[in-house]
Amino acid sequence: MKEVSKLMDYRSSVRVIDATLRDGGLVNDFFFTDEFVRALYFTNIRAGVDYMEFGYKASKELFDSSKFGKWKFCNDEDIRAIVGDNQTDLKICVMADVGRCDYKKDIIPKDESPIDLIRIATYINSIPAAIHMIEDAYNKGYETTANIMAITNAQEGEIRAALELLGQTPIETFYIVDSYGALYPEQLVRIIDMYNEAAAKYNKKVGIHAHNNQQLAFANTIEAVGDGVDWLDATYATMGRGAGNCSMELLLGFLKNPKYNVYPSIQFVEKYIMPLRQAGIKWGYDIQYLLTGLLNQHPRTAIQFTKDSREDYSEFYKELVVRDD
């Protein structure tokens, strides 16, 4: 059980990262209006959020730009059109997926860009390629994180080996990513211990990106806070792929640092997120996402279930169990 002091006090080292545009973009193909993005930017400033993730640096060779909004690609000029010179305390970040971006040409030197942080997303089996991307971004002047995805599909030995390799790079933060929303707090504690051990050895921070398939994204995130995890991802009204993420308004309400202000987040959800729901954009906890979380499976099948407007949950469960075998 956590000490009460760990829940009632705050650490100045905690950083909150808004992933609404990036993870939320996965449910509407990144078609956000500039009004929405600008309002989100100013909301984050008012709420005291530390980093705003604008989206992906995706390859235009691999992804048809006519089928996605501009935040799939995060051209520097598009970001600058929103933030100007960003003379605020809010830092700007983007995600670059191993194998899905042309990082050598699309990520320009930091002194020419409004971006502060490059978040490199990698699976265990692509760590060597991730290291090249980390070193490239660092040499261009950026802060960097390594977001190890689908951590629940990896063996403990694989995770430890990955952290050893990443620890020798210039990244600032190791990220635990519960891609399938499969983790329970008790399991998470053991994973955090591994990450904290490597972070202490290599002078890194630890972060968490949680999904809400089992309605545990917030619980897992605050569990992580109590265990010394400093970098915390959240999205407004949980907007994100499939079951969504840790709720920003819940997280800001929980954190005791007076720099964070929950009221602007409530205003933003009311004015900008709820209309997206009313327009028919779907995300958030539902039975189909619960089932993929329980079975530690990628949510792609549940996403398709949702798109097909299916309601035969028991049949879907049988399909998943057969697939899991």
Side-chain angles (χ1 to χ4, degrees):
M1 184 178 293
K2 298 290 179 294
E3 295 178 15
V4 174
S5 62
K6 290 186 176 181
L7 301 179
M8 296 300 294
D9 201 358
Y10 71 87
R11 294 194 307 275
S12 60
S13 54
V14 165
R15 299 290 180 267
V16 174
I17 295 85
D18 167 37
T20 306
L21 276 191
R22 202 271 308 163
D23 217 316
L26 295 169
V27 303
N28 71 345
D29 293 328
F30 302 89
F31 286 112
F32 295 101
T33 65
D34 282 358
E35 178 190 358
F36 180 100
V37 178
R38 194 168 285 110
L40 179 57
Y41 170 67
F42 285 111
T43 295
N44 283 323
I45 293 169
R46 293 172 57 219
V49 170
D50 299 285
Y51 288 80
M52 176 175 170
E53 188 176 42
F54 267 71
Y56 287 97
K57 277 284 188 183
S59 168
K60 293 178 183 177
E61 298 288 328
L62 296 176
F63 298 95
D64 184 347
S65 59
S66 68
K67 295 181 179 179
F68 297 95
K70 56 192 172 185
W71 307 113
K72 177 77 171 178
F73 308 100
C74 284
N75 294 330
D76 290 77
E77 58 269 26
D78 290 330
I79 297 175
R80 202 177 293 281
I82 301 295
V83 308
D85 291 330
N86 188 34
Q87 296 179 344
T88 75
D89 292 333
L90 177 68
K91 291 188 174 183
I92 305 302
C93 60
V94 297
M95 181 165 281
D97 273 354
V98 171
R100 296 180 181 177
C101 66
D102 301 316
Y103 65 93
K104 290 184 179 179
K105 70 170 184 176
D106 289 340
I107 297 177
I108 63 176
K110 169 66 188 79
D111 59 9
E112 302 172 20
S113 172
I115 298 167
D116 300 288
L117 165 67
I118 306 294
R119 306 206 315 161
I120 287 88
T122 179
Y123 291 101
I124 287 285
N125 63 2
S126 56
I127 292 292
I131 289 172
H132 282 286
M133 292 176 63
I134 291 164
E135 291 173 344
D136 180 82
Y138 176 78
N139 289 335
K140 289 174 178 173
Y142 294 96
E143 300 172 41
T144 55
T145 70
N147 295 43
I148 307 176
M149 299 183 289
I151 202 71
T152 52
N153 272 0
Q155 300 297 316
E156 180 177 333
E158 294 175 319
I159 298 171
R160 289 187 182 278
L163 293 172
E164 281 294 316
L165 290 170
L166 291 169
Q168 298 171 59
T169 74
I171 63 161
E172 278 86 3
T173 306
F174 303 129
Y175 251 92
I176 301 165
V177 184
D178 184 15
S179 301
Y180 305 159
L183 283 174
Y184 296 98
E186 294 82 1
Q187 296 171 299
L188 180 63
V189 169
R190 292 192 288 273
I191 293 172
I192 290 171
D193 284 345
M194 276 193 291
Y195 275 68
N196 279 342
E197 181 182 329
K201 179 178 179 179
Y202 290 106
N203 193 29
K204 311 295 186 186
K205 295 290 188 178
V206 178
I208 184 168
H209 179 89
H211 278 264
N212 205 38
N213 297 62
Q214 300 185 87
Q215 295 193 335
L216 289 171
F218 175 61
N220 282 334
T221 300
I222 64 173
E223 175 74 32
V225 174
D227 285 320
V229 172
D230 279 334
W231 286 55
L232 315 173
D233 282 16
T235 64
Y236 289 91
T238 78
M239 187 179 185
R241 184 201 64 188
N245 303 98
C246 175
S247 161
M248 178 67 80
E249 52 276 18
L250 277 173
L251 183 60
L252 294 180
F254 166 79
L255 295 171
K256 302 302 185 280
N257 190 331
K259 72 170 284 192
Y260 298 122
N261 181 4
V262 70
Y263 182 62
S265 73
I266 303 299
Q267 290 180 302
F268 182 80
V269 168
E270 177 184 348
K271 186 171 181 180
Y272 290 97
I273 298 287
M274 298 314 295
L276 296 182
R277 285 194 184 277
Q278 292 160 6
I281 297 174
K282 294 182 179 180
W283 73 88
Y285 170 81
D286 209 335
I287 296 297
Q288 62 270 32
Y289 296 120
L290 163 66
L291 295 177
T292 57
L294 281 173
L295 296 171
N296 192 24
Q297 293 186 11
H298 195 288
R300 64 174 64 89
T301 51
I303 292 169
Q304 190 59 52
F305 181 99
T306 306
K307 288 180 178 178
D308 294 341
S309 299
R310 290 175 60 182
E311 295 182 350
D312 53 335
Y313 299 108
S314 56
E315 183 63 29
F316 181 59
Y317 175 73
K318 289 191 288 185
E319 293 171 10
L320 293 177
V321 171
V322 170
R323 181 178 293 106
D324 203 33
D325 290 340

